[in-house]
Amino acid sequence: MTKVALVTGCSEGGIGFALCEALAFRAVTVYATARSLDSMKALDHPRIKKLVMDVKNDDDIQQVLRTIMEAEGKIDLLFNNAGILAAGPLIDHTVDQFRDIYETNVVSLFRIVKSVVPLMAKRKEGMIVNIGSVVGDVPSVWTGVYDSSKAAVRSMTEVLAMECRPFNIKIMLAAPGSVRSKIIDKQGDYEMVPNTIYGAFHHNVLDRLALGYTPDTITVKECADGIVGRALSANPPSYFYIGGQTRLLRFLAWLPRVWAMSLMWRTFSKPAPKDKMT
C-alpha cells in the first residue's frame, strides 16, 4: 500500500523541498507544505501535492490535516522540517525575534505532533522525523538562539520517542551538520545590530556562518536522500547525523562540557587578520 507523507517547510532551495522529491522518487504520496504555493512551484511530480500551511497557524494545520485525511485516510510519515536560522550574539536579538524563532522551530513542531500522533495511534502505525541539528548537541557561539531551539527539538524528540512506544509510532531525529541550503545562504549578508557591544567580533560571526560552506558540506539532495533512506529502512535509527562537521561536533559532545565550550570559544573569538582590520 502506498505510504502518505506530510512535509513542512518545503520552499525551494531547502531541505524540505529535497525531502519531497526524495520521497516521491520512492513512490510515496507527498503532501508538501509551505506558507505560499509560489515558493513550491518548482515541485513538479505527480506524487507531490502542494498545500499552503503556516506552521505557526493552528487553523492552517487543522485544514491541511483534514484535507489529507479526507483524501488518503491516513498519514504514515511526518517530516517536521520547518525552521529558521538566526545568527548573532545571543543578547543582540530582540525578545520578539527570540519568540519567533522558538515559535517556528519548537512550538510549531509541538502543534503538529499534538494533532498527528493521535491519528497514527489509532492505527498503531506511523513514523515522525524531526529535523534537528548537530548544534542541538553542542551549541556553537554566535548562533545561540537557533542552537538552543534545536536542543529543545532534541529533548522533545527523545520524550516523544518514549511516549509513542505504546502506539508503535517510530520517532527519528535527523541532525544535519553543514548543508548548503537556502537557510544558510540567507545569512550571507549578516550585519551586526547598531550599538552592539560585540562589534569587534563581527568577523567571528561571519567565520561561524562560513561553516555552511566547508569542503565536507553536502547538498540538500544528499541530505534528503540520506534522511529518507534511513526513515524508510526496515530499522530506522533513533538518531541520524548527516552533513559536514558532524564528526567534529559529535567528538566535542564526548568531551567534558567545559573543554568543548572553551574550544568553541577559542575557535570563534580570534582577532581579525591585520589585512581585514580597518
Side-chain angles (χ1 to χ4, degrees):
M1 185 177 292
T2 302
K3 290 187 178 295
V4 177
L6 168 61
V7 186
T8 69
C10 301
S11 297
E12 186 175 2
I15 293 174
F17 186 97
L19 286 171
C20 293
E21 293 185 322
L23 287 161
F25 179 77
R26 290 165 175 80
V28 175
T29 297
V30 183
Y31 283 83
T33 64
R35 285 180 295 179
S36 73
L37 292 177
D38 189 59
S39 68
M40 300 183 288
K41 63 183 179 182
L43 277 175
D44 185 18
H45 192 285
R47 292 188 180 277
I48 299 176
K49 307 175 190 300
K50 294 171 280 190
L51 298 173
V52 173
M53 184 173 80
D54 181 347
V55 294
K56 296 187 289 184
N57 187 302
D58 285 316
D59 291 338
D60 277 9
I61 293 171
Q62 294 308 315
Q63 180 57 52
V64 164
L65 295 181
R66 281 194 297 270
T67 298
I68 297 173
M69 293 303 292
E70 288 172 4
E72 312 291 345
K74 63 174 183 173
I75 297 174
D76 297 294
L77 300 155
L78 168 63
F79 289 80
N80 281 311
N81 169 75
I84 52 177
L85 174 64
L90 189 70
I91 65 170
D92 278 1
H93 294 280
T94 66
V95 172
D96 286 341
Q97 289 171 335
F98 188 96
R99 285 198 183 104
D100 187 54
I101 292 164
Y102 265 73
E103 183 73 22
T104 303
N105 294 0
V106 183
V107 179
S108 295
L109 185 151
F110 171 74
R111 280 194 177 96
I112 297 172
V113 298
K114 181 176 175 61
S115 294
V116 171
V117 166
L119 300 176
M120 292 180 172
K122 286 181 180 179
R123 299 175 59 236
K124 292 291 181 73
E125 185 178 357
M127 177 157 198
I128 297 173
V129 180
N130 292 333
I131 309 299
S133 172
V134 290
V135 296
D137 296 357
V138 181
S140 174
V141 65
W142 312 129
T143 52
V145 180
Y146 174 80
D147 296 5
S148 64
S149 74
K150 289 302 183 179
V153 169
R154 173 178 176 165
S155 182
M156 288 173 60
T157 303
E158 291 174 339
V159 172
L160 195 63
M162 291 185 285
E163 295 180 350
C164 283
R165 285 183 180 183
F167 309 107
N168 194 38
I169 301 172
K170 298 176 182 177
I171 309 294
M172 181 174 117
L173 176 69
S178 297
V179 178
R180 181 64 186 265
S181 69
K182 181 180 66 175
I183 196 172
I184 294 294
D185 291 339
K186 282 184 175 181
Q187 304 300 313
D189 298 324
Y190 172 80
E191 292 292 340
M192 289 283 195
V193 300
N195 302 317
T196 177
I197 63 174
Y198 293 101
F201 297 94
H202 180 254
H203 67 285
N204 298 120
V205 180
L206 297 180
D207 287 344
R208 166 62 186 86
L209 293 174
L211 287 181
Y213 308 101
T214 55
D216 61 346
T217 296
I218 63 174
T219 66
V220 289
K221 183 181 185 307
E222 291 170 322
C223 181
D225 284 343
I227 293 171
V228 170
R230 297 306 191 284
L232 296 181
S233 66
N235 295 295
S238 298
Y239 294 86
F240 178 55
Y241 298 91
I242 186 169
Q245 305 293 307
T246 52
R247 288 184 180 179
L248 173 60
L249 286 171
R250 290 176 71 186
F251 168 72
L252 292 177
W254 283 100
L255 292 177
R257 205 65 170 178
V258 66
W259 292 6
M261 297 301 96
S262 178
L263 179 59
M264 189 71 72
W265 173 248
R266 290 201 305 270
T267 301
F268 294 109
S269 64
K270 296 176 181 177
K274 291 183 179 180
D275 62 345
K276 293 184 179 181
M277 297 178 67
T278 57

